[in-house]
Amino acid sequence: MSTERGRGAGRTGRATFVGAGPGAADLLTIRAARAIADADVVIWAASLVHADVLQHARPDAEVVDSAALPMEGVEPYYRRARDEGLRVARIHSGDPSLWGAVQEQLDLCAELGLETEIVPGVSSFSAVAAIAGRELTVPEVAQSVILTRLGGGKTPMPEGEEVREFARHGTTMALFLSAARSGRLQQELLDGGYPPDTPCIVAYQATWPEELVVRCALGELEATVKEHRLWKHTLVLVGPALTAGGTRSHLYHPGHFHGHRRADRAARRELRASRGDG
């Protein structure tokens, strides 16, 4: 009996797609760390995921670097998991639901009859906001966050999802996979209506030891990206919320009430007056 069969005996095979977060191993969720620790086979991409996350793997786990493998190179591990009752942890950077190429793997596992699970991870846009000490949804400034990427790359964008069209909303945007074409990115954001002085945060390998986070105005975005020679592992945040302050959420206003707190009457009248409720 093989070692793999010994480990998988009596268990149902499963592929767990694990969100590794932005890079730092201690930003994995407890569930993610447990999934990696439980895995007989750990598949990760050295080009995207920081090696520190492998500290959660068992010493006897088979560790596979998928950076050079196409889907056809990963498929045999899913077949073994089904046939031998193995647990596979497929580690994805950030959150698997965002540009993770997970759906095609889920479809494959469904065809194979292999049980699957997805463990969400901290996305880099959340990590960058935390590093910068900013809230992306500031009352009366921005209450929406648009996650997208620049079109024209290796994967075509659906019609109507151009950066310039999203930029017309004027809210916070997080732009992935776009730093290599920073000139076009800057122009599309400007064409969409953001003023040249709109604040931007450019983050390279957020939470990694090599982390770099710089701030600039939108009109200086291309120059900033090129100055630091950024093209991979780089996220751009843009929008007025990145420097906004002085507003207040109604949630913690003494005039706001909910199921766990009664409103102060005087503060309630003040709040209603400020909203024009009469």
Side-chain angles (χ1 to χ4, degrees):
M1 180 179 289
S2 69
T3 303
E4 288 83 359
R5 287 185 183 275
R7 290 200 299 264
R11 296 204 302 182
T12 301
R14 175 188 296 173
T16 301
F17 298 90
V18 178
D26 57 357
L27 281 177
L28 268 73
T29 64
I30 294 174
R31 183 177 297 184
R34 286 175 177 167
I36 296 172
D38 186 52
D40 303 302
V41 181
V42 177
I43 304 175
W44 74 301
S47 58
L48 298 171
V49 177
H50 197 280
D52 282 355
V53 303
L54 296 179
Q55 67 184 254
H56 297 289
R58 296 200 319 259
D60 64 334
E62 180 179 358
V63 178
V64 179
D65 183 0
S66 64
L69 297 178
M71 170 71 87
E72 288 75 9
V74 177
E75 181 177 346
Y77 296 98
Y78 296 148
R79 290 186 180 276
R80 281 180 52 205
R82 178 198 62 187
D83 296 342
E84 302 175 16
L86 301 179
R87 298 295 171 89
V88 175
R90 180 68 163 95
I91 304 177
H92 286 260
S93 60
D95 184 276
S97 66
L98 296 174
W99 298 282
V102 169
Q103 190 58 53
E104 59 200 62
Q105 297 180 75
L106 293 171
D107 292 343
L108 171 61
C109 290
E111 292 176 9
L112 295 174
L114 178 63
E115 181 180 313
T116 59
E117 179 186 7
I118 299 175
V119 179
V122 176
S123 177
S124 57
F125 81 92
S126 296
V128 173
I131 292 166
R134 299 303 312 179
E135 183 178 356
L136 303 181
T137 54
V138 177
E140 302 177 41
V141 177
Q143 289 290 282
S144 303
V145 181
I146 297 173
L147 313 179
T148 189
R149 65 173 181 83
L150 190 63
K154 296 178 182 178
T155 303
M157 292 290 282
E159 185 177 354
E161 293 193 18
E162 295 81 9
V163 166
R164 69 172 63 88
E165 295 301 321
F166 286 133
R168 299 186 192 285
H169 294 282
T171 190
T172 306
M173 288 182 67
L175 297 130
F176 297 73
L177 308 170
S178 303
R181 291 169 293 145
S182 56
R184 178 177 170 185
L185 176 62
Q186 175 178 313
Q187 193 57 55
E188 288 210 20
L189 290 168
L190 291 170
D191 290 347
Y194 283 115
D197 61 352
T198 302
C200 296
I201 298 175
V202 182
Y204 167 75
Q205 291 192 327
T207 80
W208 294 46
E210 303 83 2
E211 171 190 295
L212 173 68
V213 178
V214 295
R215 298 171 182 266
C216 66
L218 175 55
E220 302 168 348
L221 178 60
E222 179 183 9
T224 300
V225 171
K226 290 182 175 178
E227 175 188 353
H228 296 283
R229 300 180 180 180
L230 305 178
W231 62 285
K232 293 195 305 181
H233 302 292
T234 301
L235 175 77
V236 176
L237 297 178
V238 59
L242 300 182
T243 56
T247 63
R248 181 171 182 178
S249 169
H250 289 175
L251 178 60
Y252 298 106
H253 193 287
H256 178 76
F257 67 91
H258 51 67
H260 297 275
R261 189 181 74 227
R262 299 181 65 178
D264 176 84
R265 291 187 177 182
R268 179 68 177 167
R269 288 194 295 270
E270 177 186 336
L271 182 60
R272 289 173 58 88
S274 70
R275 295 189 309 208
D277 294 344

